[in-house]
Each structure stands twice: as structure tokens, then as C-alpha cells.
Amino acid sequence: MTAPIRVAVTGAAGQIGYSLLFRIASGQVFGPDQPVILHLVEIPPAMSALDGVEMELDDCAFPTLAGVVKADSDHLEDGFADCNYVLCVGSVPRGKGMERSDLIRINGPIFTSTGQAISSAAASDVRVLVVGNPCNTNCLIAMNNAPNVPNDRWYAMTMLDQNRAISQLAQKSGQPVSEVTNMTIWGNHSATQYPDFYNAKIDGKPATEVITDEAWLQGEFISTVQKRGAAIIQARGASSAASAANGIIDTVKAIANPTAAGATFSAAVCSDGSYGVDEGLISSFPLTSDGKNWSIVQGQSHNEFAQAKIDATVAELKEERDTVKDLLK
Ligand code: NAX
């Protein structure tokens, strides 16, 4: 029998958790022949809601769900014990009047203890995807507090941004989403992110040959992608949940399987200094995976416009890093 994969999800009783867990448990991520044990982690006041989520998982009778482990955030090592993937979704949301730097300071301590617990309890092949915002800097904090986990196992999610960008280009060009490829998000998962349409392709051709309205690409397109999260809150009265869960699933599949020849995907990883991004920052790049390790795609060129956008988002990441300097070991 195939050994089960253990997947921890923090914030498992939250709205993204509710869209995510059932898809993982059903075999959509690791396939119909791969048993999965879910480790659900929540804060103590949410454990009762988590009981309800577990009951619903039971009631799906998924053949691929081989078990459920629950743990509260005072017992993170139990939650992450032997896990092969840790999906860090839980974090304190940004409240009214709260600055981004306040949020970073509030969530920072959560991610020091998360990093420490992953380091001491997770499986030796663990891969960690941070989704809870500010996800790049939360990931940076956790990575720096996890001495036993190599730096190339840490990811922060920009796949939802990539998918949003693909969808916008598909709609504008009238092509199916499957024809939009090589769409990279650079930098931070924030309003400074840069969706690189210059290196994207539509129907195998440079996107700028198919969509010739460069003013739209440089203006409305970028700002639509950057502000999509806020637009969804405005329309739905709640932040993106199903699309965020879908982004998590796409990311796990992208890192766990070899990337098709010529294709790329976006995730924020620990910079090795490529493209002038400070070594050690968690910044989004064009990536490929061989199913185990990722590589940053080299050799992409950026004109003055693109370089300025990348510089701005990387500058924001450096500022965030400086805000949490005391939490980095
Ligand atoms: P919810 O508020 O619905 O759920 C968050 C859950 O996390 C809650 O159940 C809460 O009890 C739990 N939690 C809080 N602190 C915790 C801790 N220390 N340990 C374990 N659990 C904890 O938020 P939801 O809509 O699910 O969003 C979760 C996070 O994803 C937020 O930080 C949000 O900003 C972020 N997002 C990131 C995205 C990305 O692309 N990187 C997109 C979607 C989303 O906005």
C-alpha cells in the first residue's frame, strides 16, 4: 500500500480552509491512488468549528482520506508532526485602520513559532507554502526560524495573482486561458506586484503581439491584477476564498510535478540573487520544477518600465524585512 502523504493546513476552520480541505481530501491534488492524512491546525477558540469541518470531511467518505489529525496553535509540533507539506493559511486578518506594517508586526510572532515547530516536528522532506498575509514576509520569518529545513523548501503564494493575470489576458485577447502561458508575477504578493506581460505568451506568441494596446497592458491590466483582491472584497463582502484555495492547489501541483517543457509558474521563493533581487528575500520569480527542486528561469529580459516595477516591489520587500529584523535569526 502507498504510504500516506501528510498535509498540514493552518487556519483550517477559516474560509480558505473550507474550500481547500475537501479538494485535497478528494484526491484532486495528489491523485486517486495516493492516500492523504490531513493535519488541521487552528487557534483554541476555533477548535469547535474545526470539529464541524472534520465531521463534514467524514461525511464525504473520501477513499483517499486516510486520517485527520487536529491540533491547536498551542501545540504546533503535534500539528506538524511528520508532515510532508505544511500549508500556512492561518493568520490574523488586517483590521480597519490597520497599517500593513502593523499587520506584519502582529503576524510576525505567529510565524516564528510556526517555523520553529516545522523545523523540529515535520518530515525531513517537508515543503512549506505560506498563504496568510503578508505572505512573503511571514514566509521569510518562518524560514529564518527553522534551522532544520533548507531554504529551498519555502514558498509564498503568488499563484492566485498569476491566475488572475492569465484570466485578464485571456478575456482581453478572446483566447482561452489555456493559451496564455509564461505569465510571471514578480516580487511581493501585494499591490506592488508586477505581472510581467512582456514575457507572457498568448497562443505561443508574445502577448504584446496579440494585445497591441500597450497602454492598457501597462495601466489597466496591471492595476486590475494588483487590486483584484480588494475588488472581490468590495463585490462579495468577503475576501477571495475558493480562488485562493485553487491557487494553493495549483501551487502544490506545480512544485510536486515536473514542469512541462517551456512552461513556467510563479511562486515566491528564497532569492539566490537572480535578477538583482537581494539574496535571502522571499520574492516571486518565474520558476520551473523537476518535481523535487525548483529553479529560477534565467535569461528573461526586462525593459525600463518592467525593471522599475520589479525594483519597486523588491524595495517593498526589503522594507518589510527591515520591519521584522528582530524576528530573523
Ligand atoms: P479567515 O479569517 O476566514 O481564516 C483564517 C483562519 O486562521 C481563522 O479560522 C483563524 O482562527 C485562523 N488562525 C488565526 N491565527 C492562527 C494561528 N496562529 N494558527 C492557526 N490558525 C490561525 O481567513 P481566510 O479568508 O481563510 O484567509 C486566510 C489568509 O489568507 C489571510 O491572511 C489572507 O490575507 C490570506 N490570503 C492570501 C492570498 C494569497 O494569494 N497569498 C489570497 C487570499 C487570502 O487573502
Side-chain angles (χ1 to χ4, degrees), residues 10-17 41-43 46 73 76 88-94 107 110 114 130-135 138 156-161 164 189 239-241 244:
T10 72
Q15 55 154 2
I16 294 177
V41 180
E42 259 297 348
I43 52 175
S73 50
L76 286 177
C88 299
V89 180
S91 72
V92 175
R94 188 161 166 178
N107 278 310
I110 295 176
T114 297
V130 179
V131 177
N133 280 319
C135 63
N138 288 340
M157 187 165 91
T158 54
M159 183 65 87
L160 174 56
D161 307 300
R164 287 167 170 167
H189 167 69
S239 57
S240 343

Side-chain angles (χ1 to χ4, degrees), residues 121-282:
S124 59
D125 67 350
V126 68
R127 290 188 262 196
V128 186
L129 174 63
V130 179
V131 177
N133 280 319
C135 63
N136 297 56
T137 297
N138 288 340
C139 183
L140 180 76
I141 294 168
M143 179 182 81
N144 276 277
N145 284 276
N148 299 329
V149 183
N151 286 359
D152 63 1
R153 307 284 188 76
W154 299 85
Y155 303 80
M157 187 165 91
T158 54
M159 183 65 87
L160 174 56
D161 307 300
Q162 175 187 302
N163 286 342
R164 287 167 170 167
I166 286 173
S167 176
Q168 292 301 315
L169 293 187
Q171 284 176 25
K172 182 76 174 175
S173 63
Q175 295 281 334
V177 286
S178 55
E179 291 301 334
V180 183
T181 59
N182 303 90
M183 179 72 237
T184 300
I185 303 297
W186 288 80
N188 203 359
H189 167 69
S190 75
T192 66
Q193 64 177 272
Y194 170 54
D196 179 13
F197 56 88
Y198 283 114
N199 284 292
K201 291 186 183 139
I202 302 175
D203 195 18
K205 301 186 263 296
T208 47
E209 278 179 22
V210 179
I211 300 173
T212 51
D213 184 352
E214 199 163 342
W216 179 85
L217 288 164
Q218 289 190 348
E220 198 180 326
F221 164 69
I222 292 182
S223 82
T224 299
V225 176
Q226 289 175 334
K227 294 179 189 155
R228 187 68 163 183
I232 284 165
I233 293 174
Q234 179 73 21
R236 203 173 85 87
S239 57
S240 343
S243 55
N246 184 67
I248 295 171
I249 287 165
D250 283 354
T251 308
V252 173
K253 284 179 168 173
I255 64 186
N257 296 293
T259 310
T264 62
F265 67 96
S266 306
V269 294
C270 182
S271 174
D272 59 359
S274 291
Y275 295 96
V277 178
D278 280 30
E279 213 174 320
L281 277 183
I282 300 287

Side-chain angles (χ1 to χ4, degrees), residues 6-10 37-42 47 68-87 117-118 121-123:
R6 291 179 180 269
V7 182
V9 179
T10 72
I37 297 177
L38 282 173
H39 288 230
L40 312 181
V41 180
E42 259 297 348
M47 291 310 282
V68 173
V69 174
K70 285 180 293 179
D72 70 43
S73 50
D74 294 334
H75 301 89
L76 286 177
E77 291 188 9
D78 296 343
F80 301 146
D82 301 321
C83 282
N84 309 101
Y85 288 89
V86 178
L87 310 176
I118 292 171

Side-chain angles (χ1 to χ4, degrees), residues 9 13 58 81 97-98 102 104 125 141 147 150 161 175 193 200 202 206 237 249 277 295 298 302 310 319 325 327:
V9 179
D58 287 346
M98 209 189 264
D102 298 334
I104 290 173
D125 67 350
I141 294 168
D161 307 300
Q175 295 281 334
Q193 64 177 272
I202 302 175
I249 287 165
V277 178
S295 313
Q298 301 296 329
H302 301 292
I310 294 172
E319 268 171 43
K325 223 172 216 155
L327 303 177

